[in-house]
Amino acid sequence: MAIVQNELRQELGDFGSIVCLKAIVTGVEEALGEKAAAIAMISAGRQRGKKLAEAMDLVDKGSSLSLEELTKQAQEALGKDGTRLCVIDKISQEGDVYKVFTHETVCSAGESPGSSRQCTFTMGAIQGFLEAFLGKRLRGTQTESVLRGGNFDLLEYTVLPQVNH
């Protein structure tokens, strides 16, 4: 199921400039500080990722689809046929950790080699997508960066224990 295009703007379409998005991120960092901005960007990304999974009718489908199918769905939602947030090369699982291998992330675009930029919005969007799909709470971390010599922007998501109230 392809993501519906041009829902928000008739003439310009739903996609905007990566340069403008990066200006939003750096402006929020300047206004709030790096740590508070990261929390805000991850949270915003999570909400976006959840909405994408809902739009694709993928909520709580984790037990019925393989990792290959999950990768395909995430690529469709977030890649060149979807929102163009990033390229997802693969998703693997090691125990309670999901590893998402990405490149051309919106967060890393245009950054100088060696930059300390983290993939906050991208990490949040993939986290929200995975959480909705798996029906589990996750904690994300970036463990590798193309800006700092990595082959990927590697995002790892650990399943958090369920809290019973």
Side-chain angles (χ1 to χ4, degrees), residues 40-159:
M41 291 296 130
I42 291 167
S43 179
R46 280 184 67 227
Q47 292 305 313
R48 179 64 182 132
K50 285 180 182 181
K51 295 285 185 203
L52 282 170
E54 289 168 6
M56 295 176 73
D57 196 30
L58 292 174
V59 175
D60 294 328
K61 302 284 185 182
S63 61
S64 62
L65 296 177
S66 67
L67 280 177
E68 292 77 21
E69 186 60 28
L70 169 59
T71 301
K72 182 180 170 202
Q73 296 293 334
Q75 288 168 335
E76 183 177 323
L78 301 168
K80 65 182 176 179
D81 294 328
T83 65
R84 297 178 179 251
L85 181 70
C86 64
V87 175
I88 295 177
D89 296 287
K90 74 175 181 175
I91 300 174
S92 65
Q93 183 180 6
E94 294 177 16
D96 280 347
V97 178
Y98 290 86
K99 294 184 175 192
V100 182
F101 297 81
T102 67
H103 69 279
E104 286 196 32
T105 64
V106 70
C107 299
S108 293
E111 292 291 322
S112 301
S115 167
S116 63
R117 170 78 50 216
Q118 294 290 303
C119 291
T120 54
F121 184 81
T122 303
M123 183 169 59
I126 294 171
Q127 181 174 337
F129 186 87
L130 290 174
E131 285 178 343
F133 178 80
L134 298 168
K136 298 177 182 176
R137 250 328 240 137
L138 303 171
R139 175 178 292 122
T141 56
Q142 182 174 353
T143 59
E144 190 175 318
S145 173
V146 297
L147 300 173
R148 294 177 292 283
N151 292 320
F152 301 95
D153 284 316
L154 178 55
L155 309 170
E156 296 188 16
Y157 301 92
T158 303
V159 176

